[in-house]
Amino acid sequence: MEERRENPYEDIIHCERPQSGRHPRMAVKDRAAQFSPFAALTGYEDVIRETGRWTEEKRELDEDRERELDGRLQRLMSQGDGHPSVRVTYFLRDERKDGGQYVTAEGRIHRLDPSFRVLVLEDRREIPLGDIVELEDGQVQ
């Protein structure tokens, strides 16, 4: 009758590990690389991230608010040198999906283009007049 051992590998556990005569031993960092994650669907994570990215819907202003903003803009343009400092909050449309976000820009007005209905700042940023929700006299130097 064969006696039962506590550890079934007791007879080989202290033996030296066999080495190949043909192949050199692989470096530890190269061995670890074979267990790194594999992305079978290239770009899938980017799609998931883009889908989960939050955007806002554009709020429509009532006529009174539009007139108020128009009046502020006209007053700013009639001041001094014609290049007043402003702080503008406007809706910036997202290039990839529906919606966008509200952003605030500060700068000097370069020009007001009524034919294209845009406000152009000195940094050449063009802000559509219909997207402006707040307009304040800025403190830009």
Side-chain angles (χ1 to χ4, degrees), residues 40-100:
L41 300 173
T42 306
Y44 182 71
E45 290 297 321
D46 295 334
V47 171
I48 296 296
R49 195 174 12 266
E50 178 63 23
T51 302
R53 192 169 51 85
W54 182 77
T55 58
E56 289 183 71
E57 298 242 350
K58 182 181 176 187
R59 300 182 303 251
E60 294 300 322
L61 301 178
D62 61 26
E63 289 181 27
D64 292 337
R65 182 69 178 148
E66 286 179 5
R67 273 195 296 275
E68 180 185 338
L69 288 172
D70 186 50
R72 282 187 192 173
L73 185 57
Q74 296 307 321
R75 280 191 298 281
L76 283 168
M77 292 305 292
S78 66
Q79 291 176 359
D81 66 356
H83 298 284
S85 298
V86 292
R87 177 178 295 123
V88 184
T89 301
Y90 64 100
F91 184 74
L92 179 62
R93 286 175 174 70
D94 196 291
E95 295 177 358
R96 296 185 180 168
K97 59 196 291 188
D98 289 338

Side-chain angles (χ1 to χ4, degrees), residues 79-139:
Q79 291 176 359
D81 66 356
H83 298 284
S85 298
V86 292
R87 177 178 295 123
V88 184
T89 301
Y90 64 100
F91 184 74
L92 179 62
R93 286 175 174 70
D94 196 291
E95 295 177 358
R96 296 185 180 168
K97 59 196 291 188
D98 289 338
Q101 62 181 341
Y102 284 92
V103 295
T104 300
E106 291 188 42
R108 291 192 173 278
I109 295 177
H110 176 66
R111 66 184 163 83
L112 175 61
D113 189 337
S115 58
F116 289 103
R117 296 197 35 77
V118 294
L119 176 68
V120 182
L121 299 180
E122 284 187 340
D123 64 4
R124 302 296 188 231
R125 188 175 347 189
E126 294 185 2
I127 303 170
L129 295 178
D131 292 343
I132 296 174
V133 294
E134 189 61 50
L135 185 65
E136 303 171 25
D137 187 6
Q139 303 302 318

